[in-house]
Amino acid sequence: MKIDIKRRIVSVPTGLVVREVQQNGEGAQEESRTIEGKAIVFDTPTVLYDGPDFVEREIIQASCVTPEFLAEQDVVLNLLHERDTAFARSNKGVGTLKMEIREDGLYFSVEAPKCSLGEQALELVRNKTYTGCSMEFFPKDYEIRESVTEDGRPEYLIVHKAFDRLTALTIAMEPAYEDTEVVASTREARKTEDDTAELERLQKEVEMRELRAHMDAADAAILKREFFNNY
């Protein structure tokens, strides 16, 4: 069986955090605007699809993201996989998006800009509406290992050894892994009625985007089942 793998969007185990209050240049405390997280986890399988017809899993090896590879990438940080919500960027290492390769994965940090997207990201990470990360990449070198589950379904494990491109990191709403979590700092300032109304508006907007994303994922799963059934 041949599986056509092109552009991939994968949710990964990660932790998102807004740093606690920090010192400003005058020694006074101020609320942090730094969002940090782990966008890629090495050597940890994720379930891409678990349905009645088959199971598909994916593993990303550390060889996919090396310092040399990362230095040549143009990567944006966006919200909910939407390109027009990008609010940070690292173009060959230059930009507001900071990335660091560690033993267990790729970490990132960004100072949220003082614009509508930056405020939205900060607020919804703090209140745990955004609970994880995803990424967008184009595969280069991979293998597909086939097996059968205990209940007789075909199982496909995609092992990525190298990326062709890494194009986006995404702050997401519902990551695929159960151990994904988000920790937000406690805000000391009391919310005004205007703040609360704006937060409710942003949450409704996020819910609509997430609904569209789930509908797209369902359509993709149906197409994939039809593809497999032709073989």
Side-chain angles (χ1 to χ4, degrees):
M1 179 182 295
K2 180 180 179 181
I3 300 178
D4 186 20
I5 298 179
K6 296 180 180 177
R7 172 174 171 263
R8 311 291 284 175
I9 296 177
V10 181
S11 297
V12 295
T14 183
L16 277 175
V17 62
V18 176
R19 286 183 187 171
E20 299 291 343
V21 292
Q22 58 189 14
Q23 302 291 325
N24 63 20
E26 300 177 353
Q29 285 192 339
E30 62 180 16
E31 196 170 34
S32 173
R33 298 183 62 84
T34 302
I35 300 173
E36 299 174 320
K38 182 162 57 174
I40 300 177
V41 175
F42 299 145
D43 301 313
T44 301
T46 178
V47 178
L48 299 181
Y49 177 77
D50 188 350
D53 303 322
F54 67 94
V55 177
E56 184 179 345
R57 304 178 189 275
E58 195 159 42
I59 289 179
I60 296 170
Q61 296 184 340
S63 56
C64 290
V65 185
T66 65
E68 295 77 16
F69 169 82
L70 203 59
E72 295 298 319
Q73 303 306 300
D74 187 358
V75 184
V76 299
L77 176 65
N78 57 29
L79 307 177
L80 301 174
H81 303 292
E82 296 190 12
R83 265 332 246 204
D84 60 357
T85 64
F87 65 97
R89 180 182 181 186
S90 174
N91 188 359
K92 296 184 177 180
V94 178
T96 55
L97 176 60
K98 308 302 179 184
M99 295 180 289
E100 179 185 355
I101 300 171
R102 301 180 189 174
E103 184 176 353
D104 61 338
L106 177 68
Y107 290 74
F108 74 92
S109 65
V110 60
E111 191 77 7
K114 294 181 179 180
C115 65
S116 59
L117 287 173
E119 299 300 333
Q120 177 178 340
L122 274 172
E123 189 59 53
L124 297 180
V125 169
R126 283 181 175 131
N127 72 12
K128 299 185 180 181
T129 299
Y130 292 151
T131 54
C133 292
S134 296
M135 61 168 171
E136 174 187 291
F137 68 94
F138 289 79
K140 180 180 180 180
D141 182 16
Y142 61 89
E143 65 174 303
I144 301 175
R145 302 171 184 172
E146 299 185 23
S147 60
V148 178
T149 63
E150 293 183 356
D151 59 5
R153 292 175 297 162
E155 181 170 352
Y156 307 96
L157 176 64
I158 306 169
V159 181
H160 291 281
K161 302 177 181 179
F163 289 169
D164 180 59
R165 284 181 293 154
L166 174 65
T167 52
L169 309 181
T170 294
I171 294 177
M173 195 171 180
E174 293 181 355
Y177 280 69
E178 294 181 358
D179 58 349
T180 302
E181 62 179 16
V182 56
V183 180
S185 59
T186 302
R187 300 194 66 179
E188 297 178 357
R190 178 176 298 176
K191 292 292 182 187
T192 65
E193 292 183 1
D194 289 342
D195 289 333
T196 302
E198 176 65 9
L199 177 57
E200 291 176 351
R201 184 190 69 78
L202 291 174
Q203 288 176 324
K204 289 180 180 178
E205 180 180 329
V206 169
E207 290 170 359
M208 290 301 298
R209 289 179 175 175
E210 189 67 13
L211 177 60
R212 291 197 299 270
H214 281 305
M215 292 174 66
D216 290 342
D219 290 341
I222 292 172
L223 290 174
K224 187 176 293 183
R225 287 198 299 272
E226 292 177 350
F227 173 81
F228 287 153
N229 289 336
N230 290 331
Y231 286 83

